[in-house]
Each structure stands twice: as structure tokens, then as C-alpha cells.
Amino acid sequence: MEAEILGRHQRDEDAVAVYDRGLQVLPDDPRLLYARALLNDDLNHVDAAVRDLRRLLEQQPGNADALNALGYTLADRTKDQAEALALIEKALAIKPDEPAIIDSMGWVQYRLGHLKQAVGHLRAAYAKQPDPEIAAHLGEVLWVSGDKDEARKIWAQGRKKDAKNKVLLETMKRLES
């Protein structure tokens, strides 16, 4: 709870320290490992995020959320697209209707250069959960595919949900400039 409060107040490094202290007391607590991994990923501490997610998967190899998080992180932040795809496929087999996992499958397909498959997965994810981060991903793939008008439309919808979403704003800025 303390780490979440610190995170809401943009004290992210302090939040990581709270998770570190918690994991000293409960070294293999899956909730703490997962939360610290996600926060480290947000802070661009990719190696630390990957390390925590791998540790969690050693304990819980069928944890779809951890499989997805590690797969997405590898797809988004590294060159290891083959492992990312395998992890996301496992997660999708466990939770086939989960929008976040469908989004990750679209994202890894995009990173592999499979634009048509990426658009299909991202449209499916967005239909299930029209959230700004999925809008950012779908818009980016549409943009790169040449459908800039549709990308702008999707981004506008995402901004209506959360005008300050970091991923959406960074994507729009990067591509429209």
C-alpha cells in the first residue's frame, strides 16, 4: 500500500525501495515481485523487471499475467522477440479473452513486422477494452501501415478516456512529429 501511495505522488524510486524492503522480509512474495517488476519496467529498469518476472515464473510457471508482462517487456524493450512471442502465446492459451494479453500479442506481432496480424489482435483487444494504451498501440500500427486517419481517430478516442496517458501521448508525439 505504501509503495502505491508513493507511486501516485511520483515518488517512484521511493516506491521501489519499499518493495525492496518488503522482499527482504518476504523474499518470494509473488505480489511484491510482480508489483516491483511492473514499476521497474515503467522506470526503464528493464533488467530488474525481467529478473523479477523470471523469478516469479520460476515459482508460478502458469501465471498468465507474469508470462504476459515478461513477454511484453521483452517485445517492447529488447530484441528477444522469439522468447516474447512464446511467452505471450502461453499466456494467451491460459487467458484467451484477456484484452491485455491480446494487446501484447498484437504488439509482439508488430515488433516482428507482421502488421496485418498485429492490427487484427490490436483491434480485438481494443474492442474488448478501449483503453488509452491499447489505443496507442493500435494507432501506431495503423500509422505505420499507412492508415494515418484511422490512427488519429483511435488516438482521439484514447485521449477522451485519459488525456494524460503517458504511453498514448509519447506515441502520438513520436509519430506525428
Side-chain angles (χ1 to χ4, degrees):
M1 181 75 95
E2 181 183 351
E4 289 177 25
I5 292 168
L6 289 167
R8 284 189 210 126
H9 291 93
Q10 284 75 46
R11 294 181 52 196
D12 295 326
E13 295 296 340
D14 292 334
V16 171
V18 168
Y19 288 127
D20 291 346
R21 286 196 312 270
L23 284 160
Q24 286 174 351
V25 176
L26 302 167
D28 292 320
D29 185 274
R31 291 171 302 154
L32 293 175
L33 283 169
Y34 187 74
R36 185 173 72 176
L38 295 184
L39 181 56
N40 273 320
D41 187 57
D42 285 346
L43 295 172
N44 206 26
H45 302 163
V46 177
D47 290 343
V50 167
R51 191 171 38 254
D52 280 348
L53 290 167
R54 288 193 192 285
R55 188 164 145 203
L56 176 56
L57 286 169
E58 286 172 9
Q59 299 168 34
Q60 300 178 350
N63 183 321
D65 296 326
L67 287 163
N68 181 55
L70 179 56
Y72 178 82
T73 297
L74 293 174
D76 194 51
R77 308 290 187 102
T78 75
K79 303 263 187 236
D80 198 351
Q81 306 309 313
E83 182 181 5
L85 179 61
L87 291 162
I88 295 166
E89 286 174 337
K90 285 181 188 176
L92 202 53
I94 296 166
K95 288 186 172 180
D97 295 320
E98 177 61 40
I101 299 172
I102 298 167
D103 171 67
S104 294
M105 179 57 78
W107 195 245
V108 74
Q109 292 293 342
Y110 169 59
R111 301 282 291 175
L112 287 164
H114 306 149
L115 298 182
K116 187 174 180 180
Q117 295 95 320
V119 168
H121 287 292
L122 292 167
R123 282 192 190 280
Y126 192 68
K128 289 179 176 291
Q129 183 177 320
D131 103 345
E133 191 161 333
I134 297 173
H137 293 158
L138 176 55
E140 179 164 342
V141 176
L142 290 167
W143 185 275
V144 170
S145 298
D147 196 347
K148 294 182 179 182
D149 290 337
E150 180 71 8
R152 286 186 188 100
K153 179 181 154 198
I154 296 295
W155 290 335
Q157 292 170 3
R159 289 193 72 188
K160 285 181 185 173
K161 297 262 184 195
D162 181 359
K164 295 180 182 180
N165 182 277
K166 179 180 157 187
V167 173
L168 180 58
L169 293 174
E170 287 175 358
T171 299
M172 292 171 62
K173 181 179 179 184
R174 178 172 38 84
L175 294 173
E176 289 186 316
S177 58

